Amino acid sequence: MLKIGGNALGVERGSVLVFSDVEDGGIMWTGEGPRLARRPVEFSQPFLAPPVVLVTLEMWDIDQTSNQRADITADEIAVDRFDVVFKTWGDTRVARVRVGWLAIGQLADPEIWKL
């Protein structure tokens, strides 16, 4: 559990297109076996410590003739950024993926002075 002190709680959310491989024959659409796509995301302002980040699929366009396999996570979470990581494997063919994200953490409280 993340316990947040002070009065300044930051919540930020967004949406990001992780990849669109169908137009240019990218690896997620044409490849087989283990594949990974990584997309960096920057926060509008830094948190005091790395926040809790939740990622979720908002849209995925996938070939109906292959198995549907997906693993999506937030990785390399820092005070000012994180990476969305999408993985698939086997014969899965993914045309595109869009991810929604939510970050919750402590912000600097302007009422608290540093001495």
Side-chain angles (χ1 to χ4, degrees), residues 72-99:
I72 188 155
T73 57
D75 190 32
E76 301 290 331
I77 300 169
V79 296
D80 60 346
R81 60 168 307 280
F82 73 97
D83 288 344
V84 173
V85 178
F86 178 88
K87 297 178 189 175
T88 192
W89 57 95
D91 66 342
T92 302
R93 291 171 32 106
V94 185
R96 61 185 63 88
V97 165
R98 186 178 67 236
V99 170

Side-chain angles (χ1 to χ4, degrees), residues 10-14 40-54 74-83 101-105 107:
V11 178
E12 187 169 357
R13 66 185 174 133
V41 174
E42 293 186 10
F43 301 126
S44 62
Q45 72 179 74
F47 290 88
L48 282 182
V52 172
V53 178
L54 171 71
D75 190 32
E76 301 290 331
I77 300 169
V79 296
D80 60 346
R81 60 168 307 280
F82 73 97
D83 288 344
W101 59 269
L102 178 72
I104 303 172
L107 296 175

